[in-house]
PDB file of all heavy atoms in Angstrom:
ATOM      1  N   PHE A   1      29.892 105.679 124.440  1.00 98.00           N
ATOM      2  CA  PHE A   1      29.081 106.541 123.580  1.00 98.00           C
ATOM      3  C   PHE A   1      28.901 107.911 124.239  1.00 98.00           C
ATOM      4  O   PHE A   1      28.875 108.014 125.470  1.00 98.00           O
ATOM      5  CB  PHE A   1      27.706 105.931 123.348  1.00 98.00           C
ATOM      6  CG  PHE A   1      27.689 104.684 122.506  1.00 98.00           C
ATOM      7  CD1 PHE A   1      28.859 104.014 122.153  1.00 98.00           C
ATOM      8  CD2 PHE A   1      26.473 104.165 122.065  1.00 98.00           C
ATOM      9  CE1 PHE A   1      28.830 102.868 121.390  1.00 98.00           C
ATOM     10  CE2 PHE A   1      26.433 103.023 121.291  1.00 98.00           C
ATOM     11  CZ  PHE A   1      27.614 102.368 120.951  1.00 98.00           C
ATOM     12  N   ALA A   2      28.708 108.931 123.401  1.00 98.00           N
ATOM     13  CA  ALA A   2      28.473 110.276 123.923  1.00 98.00           C
ATOM     14  C   ALA A   2      27.455 111.000 123.060  1.00 98.00           C
ATOM     15  O   ALA A   2      27.604 111.046 121.832  1.00 98.00           O
ATOM     16  CB  ALA A   2      29.770 111.064 123.979  1.00 98.00           C
ATOM     17  N   ILE A   3      26.451 111.559 123.709  1.00 98.00           N
ATOM     18  CA  ILE A   3      25.435 112.325 123.003  1.00 98.00           C
ATOM     19  C   ILE A   3      25.802 113.805 123.064  1.00 98.00           C
ATOM     20  O   ILE A   3      26.376 114.272 124.050  1.00 98.00           O
ATOM     21  CB  ILE A   3      24.032 112.084 123.618  1.00 98.00           C
ATOM     22  CG1 ILE A   3      22.933 112.644 122.731  1.00 98.00           C
ATOM     23  CG2 ILE A   3      23.945 112.663 125.038  1.00 98.00           C
ATOM     24  CD1 ILE A   3      21.531 112.226 123.158  1.00 98.00           C
ATOM     25  N   SER A   4      25.503 114.521 121.986  1.00 97.00           N
ATOM     26  CA  SER A   4      25.727 115.959 121.967  1.00 97.00           C
ATOM     27  C   SER A   4      24.724 116.583 121.004  1.00 97.00           C
ATOM     28  O   SER A   4      24.024 115.870 120.274  1.00 97.00           O
ATOM     29  CB  SER A   4      27.159 116.289 121.543  1.00 97.00           C
ATOM     30  OG  SER A   4      27.415 115.836 120.225  1.00 97.00           O
ATOM     31  N   ARG A   5      24.667 117.890 121.018  1.00 96.00           N
ATOM     32  CA  ARG A   5      23.721 118.571 120.150  1.00 96.00           C
ATOM     33  C   ARG A   5      24.293 119.902 119.691  1.00 96.00           C
ATOM     34  O   ARG A   5      25.081 120.532 120.400  1.00 96.00           O
ATOM     35  CB  ARG A   5      22.384 118.773 120.875  1.00 96.00           C
ATOM     36  CG  ARG A   5      22.499 119.489 122.193  1.00 96.00           C
ATOM     37  CD  ARG A   5      21.234 119.367 123.019  1.00 96.00           C
ATOM     38  NE  ARG A   5      21.380 120.068 124.290  1.00 96.00           N
ATOM     39  CZ  ARG A   5      20.472 120.048 125.246  1.00 96.00           C
ATOM     40  NH1 ARG A   5      19.350 119.362 125.096  1.00 96.00           N
ATOM     41  NH2 ARG A   5      20.679 120.709 126.370  1.00 96.00           N
ATOM     42  N   ASP A   6      23.899 120.292 118.499  1.00 94.00           N
ATOM     43  CA  ASP A   6      24.264 121.582 117.936  1.00 94.00           C
ATOM     44  C   ASP A   6      22.981 122.368 117.761  1.00 94.00           C
ATOM     45  O   ASP A   6      22.184 122.083 116.863  1.00 94.00           O
ATOM     46  CB  ASP A   6      24.987 121.389 116.596  1.00 94.00           C
ATOM     47  CG  ASP A   6      25.533 122.697 116.034  1.00 94.00           C
ATOM     48  OD1 ASP A   6      24.869 123.741 116.215  1.00 94.00           O
ATOM     49  OD2 ASP A   6      26.591 122.670 115.398  1.00 94.00           O
ATOM     50  N   ASN A   7      22.773 123.336 118.639  1.00 91.00           N
ATOM     51  CA  ASN A   7      21.524 124.084 118.631  1.00 91.00           C
ATOM     52  C   ASN A   7      21.339 124.858 117.341  1.00 91.00           C
ATOM     53  O   ASN A   7      20.231 124.932 116.785  1.00 91.00           O
ATOM     54  CB  ASN A   7      21.489 125.033 119.824  1.00 91.00           C
ATOM     55  CG  ASN A   7      21.791 124.333 121.124  1.00 91.00           C
ATOM     56  OD1 ASN A   7      21.491 123.150 121.266  1.00 91.00           O
ATOM     57  ND2 ASN A   7      22.407 125.039 122.060  1.00 91.00           N
ATOM     58  N   ALA A   8      22.405 125.434 116.838  1.00 94.00           N
ATOM     59  CA  ALA A   8      22.307 126.257 115.628  1.00 94.00           C
ATOM     60  C   ALA A   8      21.925 125.427 114.404  1.00 94.00           C
ATOM     61  O   ALA A   8      21.254 125.922 113.498  1.00 94.00           O
ATOM     62  CB  ALA A   8      23.623 126.976 115.385  1.00 94.00           C
ATOM     63  N   LYS A   9      22.342 124.153 114.410  1.00 96.00           N
ATOM     64  CA  LYS A   9      22.051 123.281 113.275  1.00 96.00           C
ATOM     65  C   LYS A   9      20.837 122.395 113.525  1.00 96.00           C
ATOM     66  O   LYS A   9      20.481 121.587 112.649  1.00 96.00           O
ATOM     67  CB  LYS A   9      23.271 122.404 112.967  1.00 96.00           C
ATOM     68  CG  LYS A   9      24.482 123.186 112.494  1.00 96.00           C
ATOM     69  CD  LYS A   9      25.639 122.248 112.174  1.00 96.00           C
ATOM     70  CE  LYS A   9      26.845 123.019 111.664  1.00 96.00           C
ATOM     71  NZ  LYS A   9      27.989 122.122 111.347  1.00 96.00           N
ATOM     72  N   ASN A  10      20.233 122.519 114.704  1.00 96.00           N
ATOM     73  CA  ASN A  10      19.095 121.659 115.054  1.00 96.00           C
ATOM     74  C   ASN A  10      19.434 120.183 114.814  1.00 96.00           C
ATOM     75  O   ASN A  10      18.675 119.431 114.190  1.00 96.00           O
ATOM     76  CB  ASN A  10      17.843 122.039 114.257  1.00 96.00           C
ATOM     77  CG  ASN A  10      17.281 123.369 114.682  1.00 96.00           C
ATOM     78  OD1 ASN A  10      17.441 123.782 115.838  1.00 96.00           O
ATOM     79  ND2 ASN A  10      16.644 124.059 113.766  1.00 96.00           N
ATOM     80  N   THR A  11      20.592 119.798 115.310  1.00 97.00           N
ATOM     81  CA  THR A  11      21.090 118.451 115.061  1.00 97.00           C
ATOM     82  C   THR A  11      21.553 117.798 116.358  1.00 97.00           C
ATOM     83  O   THR A  11      22.213 118.442 117.184  1.00 97.00           O
ATOM     84  CB  THR A  11      22.247 118.475 114.047  1.00 97.00           C
ATOM     85  OG1 THR A  11      21.786 119.060 112.830  1.00 97.00           O
ATOM     86  CG2 THR A  11      22.744 117.069 113.761  1.00 97.00           C
ATOM     87  N   LEU A  12      21.181 116.545 116.490  1.00 97.00           N
ATOM     88  CA  LEU A  12      21.596 115.710 117.618  1.00 97.00           C
ATOM     89  C   LEU A  12      22.646 114.726 117.105  1.00 97.00           C
ATOM     90  O   LEU A  12      22.520 114.224 115.983  1.00 97.00           O
ATOM     91  CB  LEU A  12      20.398 114.954 118.169  1.00 97.00           C
ATOM     92  CG  LEU A  12      20.584 114.146 119.440  1.00 97.00           C
ATOM     93  CD1 LEU A  12      20.710 115.081 120.650  1.00 97.00           C
ATOM     94  CD2 LEU A  12      19.416 113.194 119.632  1.00 97.00           C
ATOM     95  N   TYR A  13      23.654 114.454 117.925  1.00 98.00           N
ATOM     96  CA  TYR A  13      24.725 113.555 117.523  1.00 98.00           C
ATOM     97  C   TYR A  13      24.873 112.404 118.513  1.00 98.00           C
ATOM     98  O   TYR A  13      24.505 112.506 119.678  1.00 98.00           O
ATOM     99  CB  TYR A  13      26.053 114.302 117.448  1.00 98.00           C
ATOM    100  CG  TYR A  13      26.078 115.448 116.475  1.00 98.00           C
ATOM    101  CD1 TYR A  13      25.927 116.758 116.917  1.00 98.00           C
ATOM    102  CD2 TYR A  13      26.244 115.220 115.113  1.00 98.00           C
ATOM    103  CE1 TYR A  13      25.939 117.814 116.030  1.00 98.00           C
ATOM    104  CE2 TYR A  13      26.261 116.277 114.208  1.00 98.00           C
ATOM    105  CZ  TYR A  13      26.113 117.567 114.677  1.00 98.00           C
ATOM    106  OH  TYR A  13      26.125 118.607 113.785  1.00 98.00           O
ATOM    107  N   LEU A  14      25.440 111.323 118.007  1.00 98.00           N
ATOM    108  CA  LEU A  14      25.836 110.214 118.868  1.00 98.00           C
ATOM    109  C   LEU A  14      27.223 109.769 118.429  1.00 98.00           C
ATOM    110  O   LEU A  14      27.378 109.210 117.344  1.00 98.00           O
ATOM    111  CB  LEU A  14      24.854 109.049 118.785  1.00 98.00           C
ATOM    112  CG  LEU A  14      25.200 107.856 119.685  1.00 98.00           C
ATOM    113  CD1 LEU A  14      25.101 108.252 121.163  1.00 98.00           C
ATOM    114  CD2 LEU A  14      24.273 106.663 119.398  1.00 98.00           C
ATOM    115  N   GLN A  15      28.207 110.054 119.265  1.00 98.00           N
ATOM    116  CA  GLN A  15      29.570 109.588 119.014  1.00 98.00           C
ATOM    117  C   GLN A  15      29.720 108.208 119.646  1.00 98.00           C
ATOM    118  O   GLN A  15      29.488 108.048 120.846  1.00 98.00           O
ATOM    119  CB  GLN A  15      30.586 110.547 119.614  1.00 98.00           C
ATOM    120  CG  GLN A  15      32.031 110.110 119.448  1.00 98.00           C
ATOM    121  CD  GLN A  15      32.473 110.102 118.000  1.00 98.00           C
ATOM    122  OE1 GLN A  15      32.175 111.025 117.252  1.00 98.00           O
ATOM    123  NE2 GLN A  15      33.200 109.055 117.591  1.00 98.00           N
ATOM    124  N   MET A  16      30.090 107.237 118.827  1.00 98.00           N
ATOM    125  CA  MET A  16      30.199 105.858 119.298  1.00 98.00           C
ATOM    126  C   MET A  16      31.644 105.400 119.139  1.00 98.00           C
ATOM    127  O   MET A  16      32.165 105.369 118.016  1.00 98.00           O
ATOM    128  CB  MET A  16      29.267 104.954 118.497  1.00 98.00           C
ATOM    129  CG  MET A  16      27.812 105.392 118.533  1.00 98.00           C
ATOM    130  SD  MET A  16      26.714 104.256 117.661  1.00 98.00           S
ATOM    131  CE  MET A  16      27.279 104.513 115.984  1.00 98.00           C
ATOM    132  N   ASN A  17      32.269 105.062 120.246  1.00 98.00           N
ATOM    133  CA  ASN A  17      33.646 104.600 120.261  1.00 98.00           C
ATOM    134  C   ASN A  17      33.717 103.174 120.791  1.00 98.00           C
ATOM    135  O   ASN A  17      32.779 102.687 121.428  1.00 98.00           O
ATOM    136  CB  ASN A  17      34.506 105.522 121.130  1.00 98.00           C
ATOM    137  CG  ASN A  17      34.520 106.951 120.641  1.00 98.00           C
ATOM    138  OD1 ASN A  17      34.518 107.213 119.429  1.00 98.00           O
ATOM    139  ND2 ASN A  17      34.539 107.887 121.570  1.00 98.00           N
ATOM    140  N   SER A  18      34.844 102.521 120.534  1.00 98.00           N
ATOM    141  CA  SER A  18      35.076 101.156 121.025  1.00 98.00           C
ATOM    142  C   SER A  18      33.889 100.257 120.701  1.00 98.00           C
ATOM    143  O   SER A  18      33.381  99.527 121.560  1.00 98.00           O
ATOM    144  CB  SER A  18      35.330 101.173 122.539  1.00 98.00           C
ATOM    145  OG  SER A  18      36.426 101.993 122.866  1.00 98.00           O
ATOM    146  N   LEU A  19      33.463 100.311 119.471  1.00 98.00           N
ATOM    147  CA  LEU A  19      32.273  99.561 119.070  1.00 98.00           C
ATOM    148  C   LEU A  19      32.493  98.058 119.161  1.00 98.00           C
ATOM    149  O   LEU A  19      33.588  97.554 118.896  1.00 98.00           O
ATOM    150  CB  LEU A  19      31.852  99.961 117.663  1.00 98.00           C
ATOM    151  CG  LEU A  19      31.134 101.309 117.588  1.00 98.00           C
ATOM    152  CD1 LEU A  19      31.178 101.887 116.191  1.00 98.00           C
ATOM    153  CD2 LEU A  19      29.698 101.161 118.061  1.00 98.00           C
ATOM    154  N   LYS A  20      31.424  97.372 119.537  1.00 98.00           N
ATOM    155  CA  LYS A  20      31.436  95.929 119.713  1.00 98.00           C
ATOM    156  C   LYS A  20      30.421  95.291 118.764  1.00 98.00           C
ATOM    157  O   LYS A  20      29.445  95.951 118.381  1.00 98.00           O
ATOM    158  CB  LYS A  20      31.082  95.567 121.148  1.00 98.00           C
ATOM    159  CG  LYS A  20      31.940  96.219 122.202  1.00 98.00           C
ATOM    160  CD  LYS A  20      31.425  95.899 123.602  1.00 98.00           C
ATOM    161  CE  LYS A  20      32.265  96.572 124.676  1.00 98.00           C
ATOM    162  NZ  LYS A  20      31.762  96.272 126.042  1.00 98.00           N
ATOM    163  N   PRO A  21      30.592  94.028 118.428  1.00 97.00           N
ATOM    164  CA  PRO A  21      29.596  93.362 117.571  1.00 97.00           C
ATOM    165  C   PRO A  21      28.177  93.454 118.136  1.00 97.00           C
ATOM    166  O   PRO A  21      27.210  93.562 117.373  1.00 97.00           O
ATOM    167  CB  PRO A  21      30.097  91.918 117.530  1.00 97.00           C
ATOM    168  CG  PRO A  21      31.575  92.040 117.685  1.00 97.00           C
ATOM    169  CD  PRO A  21      31.766  93.173 118.666  1.00 97.00           C
ATOM    170  N   GLU A  22      28.055  93.438 119.460  1.00 97.00           N
ATOM    171  CA  GLU A  22      26.726  93.514 120.064  1.00 97.00           C
ATOM    172  C   GLU A  22      26.087  94.898 119.943  1.00 97.00           C
ATOM    173  O   GLU A  22      24.924  95.078 120.319  1.00 97.00           O
ATOM    174  CB  GLU A  22      26.765  93.087 121.537  1.00 97.00           C
ATOM    175  CG  GLU A  22      27.829  93.761 122.371  1.00 97.00           C
ATOM    176  CD  GLU A  22      29.100  92.931 122.492  1.00 97.00           C
ATOM    177  OE1 GLU A  22      29.533  92.352 121.465  1.00 97.00           O
ATOM    178  OE2 GLU A  22      29.653  92.887 123.607  1.00 97.00           O
ATOM    179  N   ASP A  23      26.827  95.872 119.420  1.00 98.00           N
ATOM    180  CA  ASP A  23      26.240  97.181 119.137  1.00 98.00           C
ATOM    181  C   ASP A  23      25.528  97.199 117.786  1.00 98.00           C
ATOM    182  O   ASP A  23      24.885  98.191 117.438  1.00 98.00           O
ATOM    183  CB  ASP A  23      27.324  98.260 119.137  1.00 98.00           C
ATOM    184  CG  ASP A  23      27.952  98.467 120.494  1.00 98.00           C
ATOM    185  OD1 ASP A  23      27.215  98.469 121.504  1.00 98.00           O
ATOM    186  OD2 ASP A  23      29.195  98.628 120.555  1.00 98.00           O
ATOM    187  N   THR A  24      25.638  96.121 117.027  1.00 98.00           N
ATOM    188  CA  THR A  24      24.971  96.037 115.736  1.00 98.00           C
ATOM    189  C   THR A  24      23.464  96.147 115.905  1.00 98.00           C
ATOM    190  O   THR A  24      22.859  95.408 116.673  1.00 98.00           O
ATOM    191  CB  THR A  24      25.320  94.706 115.045  1.00 98.00           C
ATOM    192  OG1 THR A  24      26.722  94.688 114.744  1.00 98.00           O
ATOM    193  CG2 THR A  24      24.520  94.534 113.760  1.00 98.00           C
ATOM    194  N   ALA A  25      22.875  97.094 115.187  1.00 98.00           N
ATOM    195  CA  ALA A  25      21.440  97.348 115.304  1.00 98.00           C
ATOM    196  C   ALA A  25      21.062  98.481 114.352  1.00 98.00           C
ATOM    197  O   ALA A  25      21.933  99.135 113.773  1.00 98.00           O
ATOM    198  CB  ALA A  25      21.070  97.735 116.742  1.00 98.00           C
ATOM    199  N   VAL A  26      19.771  98.702 114.238  1.00 98.00           N
ATOM    200  CA  VAL A  26      19.275  99.919 113.607  1.00 98.00           C
ATOM    201  C   VAL A  26      19.136 100.960 114.712  1.00 98.00           C
ATOM    202  O   VAL A  26      18.507 100.691 115.749  1.00 98.00           O
ATOM    203  CB  VAL A  26      17.924  99.697 112.902  1.00 98.00           C
ATOM    204  CG1 VAL A  26      17.420 101.007 112.313  1.00 98.00           C
ATOM    205  CG2 VAL A  26      18.062  98.631 111.816  1.00 98.00           C
TER     206      VAL A  26
END
C-alpha cells in the first residue's frame, strides 16, 4: 500500500496493490 496526497485538491489517497482476502474491511 502507498499513501499520497494532493494538496491542491485537498485529497488523500491510498493505493492498494497485491490485495489479499485478509484486506477485506471497511
Side-chain angles (χ1 to χ4, degrees):
F1 291 10
I3 192 170
S4 62
R5 55 194 180 185
D6 186 324
N7 309 330
K9 295 181 178 180
N10 290 332
T11 301
L12 187 73
Y13 300 100
L14 181 65
Q15 178 66 43
M16 303 183 293
N17 300 323
S18 302
L19 283 160
K20 305 175 181 180
E22 50 264 42
D23 294 319
T24 295
V26 178

